[in-house]
Amino acid sequence: MKFLDVFIEDCRYYDPKNIELKTILKYVKLRGKTLLDVGTGIGRLSFPLSKYAKEIVSLDKDKRFLEYFRGKKRKNLSFINQNAEKYLKKDKKFDVILLAWPTINFKFIKLIKNVMHKNSLFIFITCDNNSDYEIIINKLDIIKKNYFGKDIKNKIKFIKEIPRRFRLIIKKKFSTEYLYPNEKIAFRVIKNGLMLWFKIKWNKNAEEKLKKIIDKHKIGKKVRFKERIYFYILKK
């Protein structure tokens, strides 16, 4: 499958109850506000939030997302295909800055402040690396041990650092899920996703392990993997 198709399908089965979206809307009043979505991907949150915000800028450096945004135009939503570090140096200010599920970059702490005015809100969302879904790759034994060690340490450090560098308004931890209609779809989507993110070369042994993992997460015909989420709202 193509990159974009895999990305879209992966997002299709995540958070079917829209808990992340509802949590944002519960704590942030978007009417009349401008929002910058840093590392937007396919705009999983940008598009539904555009129903409430005055203007949304969806920022991502990957050119492959251009095709998706061209086919889903919204008057108050624009896609900027640019490196976040470069864009965040601009003078334009936003009422809300959203950083959801990012690759951790400590430069963002200073750069996000640059696009905030005194009343701006910074929303940070990330996953718990010990969630059911996050540990699938470790159970397959097809990557080297401690592959995520550095990334996890960086995330822990980043989570500790942001309340020191910003004023903490809200801190929440809640559960979401990946919910697949059946084990066949779960197997295809998870396998394709792991191939996309980690360039994995599959073998029969790894495929059988994935099937057994999926079998343990069956709820009737459906397959559910729980995901735990950290949610922060901060000000300058």
Side-chain angles (χ1 to χ4, degrees):
M1 294 178 73
K2 293 181 179 179
F3 167 86
L4 194 56
D5 294 330
V6 174
F7 204 100
I8 291 169
E9 192 169 44
D10 181 74
C11 290
R12 181 180 300 151
Y13 299 107
Y14 172 65
D15 196 11
K17 295 180 181 178
N18 294 315
I19 295 172
E20 282 189 22
L21 175 65
K22 290 175 181 176
T23 304
I24 292 172
L25 294 173
K26 179 179 179 180
Y27 293 107
V28 180
K29 305 302 180 185
L30 286 176
R31 189 173 297 279
K33 302 290 180 64
T34 59
L35 183 146
L36 173 65
D37 184 4
V38 181
T40 189
I42 60 168
R44 178 178 65 86
L45 292 170
S46 280
F47 281 106
L49 290 173
S50 69
K51 296 178 182 178
Y52 306 91
K54 177 183 177 182
E55 176 194 1
I56 290 187
V57 172
S58 299
L59 179 68
D60 205 293
K61 66 180 181 179
D62 198 317
K63 292 181 179 179
R64 291 173 289 187
F65 294 121
L66 272 169
E67 178 186 343
Y68 187 83
F69 277 83
R70 283 171 180 162
K72 291 183 173 288
K73 292 183 178 180
R74 295 271 176 90
K75 288 184 179 180
N76 66 334
L77 190 154
S78 56
F79 177 73
I80 304 296
N81 184 213
Q82 193 174 94
N83 185 288
E85 291 182 47
K86 183 177 180 180
Y87 187 85
L88 292 170
K89 290 179 180 178
K90 294 188 176 184
D91 293 329
K92 184 174 182 178
K93 308 295 182 184
F94 291 87
D95 299 313
V96 181
I97 295 87
L98 173 62
L99 184 64
W101 291 64
T103 299
I104 298 301
N105 184 337
F106 287 92
K107 292 181 181 179
F108 284 166
I109 293 176
K110 181 179 179 180
L111 293 171
I112 284 172
K113 281 190 173 184
N114 187 57
V115 293
M116 296 175 72
H117 53 69
K118 65 177 183 178
N119 294 316
S120 296
L121 295 177
F122 169 32
I123 304 170
F124 174 64
I125 303 172
T126 194
C127 62
D128 183 332
N129 289 94
N130 294 310
S131 299
D132 289 348
Y133 189 83
E134 303 304 317
I135 61 174
I136 292 173
I137 187 71
N138 294 325
K139 291 182 176 181
L140 296 175
D141 295 325
I142 49 180
I143 58 172
K144 63 181 181 180
K145 291 183 178 180
N146 297 320
Y147 180 89
F148 300 104
K150 184 178 179 180
D151 290 336
I152 292 172
K153 285 181 181 179
N154 281 341
K155 182 186 286 188
I156 293 170
K157 185 177 178 182
F158 191 86
I159 287 172
K160 287 181 178 179
E161 188 66 18
I162 53 174
R164 297 171 184 164
R165 302 287 293 275
F166 295 88
R167 182 156 55 95
L168 181 63
I169 306 299
I170 291 169
K171 176 183 177 181
K172 305 284 287 184
K173 189 173 183 180
F174 54 83
S175 295
T176 59
E177 63 186 9
Y178 284 87
L179 187 63
Y180 305 98
N182 55 59
E183 54 190 311
K184 183 178 179 180
I185 291 176
F187 178 82
R188 184 188 73 237
V189 176
I190 295 170
K191 180 181 176 180
N192 286 337
L194 294 178
M195 287 174 66
L196 175 64
W197 313 131
F198 305 108
K199 313 299 181 187
I200 288 170
K201 293 181 180 179
W202 288 84
N203 54 48
K204 288 185 178 181
N205 183 48
E207 288 184 351
E208 287 304 314
K209 283 185 178 180
L210 178 56
K211 288 177 181 178
K212 289 179 180 179
I213 292 168
I214 288 171
D215 188 62
K216 290 180 180 179
H217 286 81
K218 286 177 66 178
I219 309 292
K221 290 184 178 180
K222 296 183 179 180
V223 177
R224 175 184 290 131
F225 284 88
K226 293 181 180 179
E227 186 73 86
R228 288 190 297 273
I229 301 298
Y230 295 103
F231 178 90
Y232 292 80
I233 297 181
L234 310 109
K235 294 185 77 170
K236 265 189 167 182

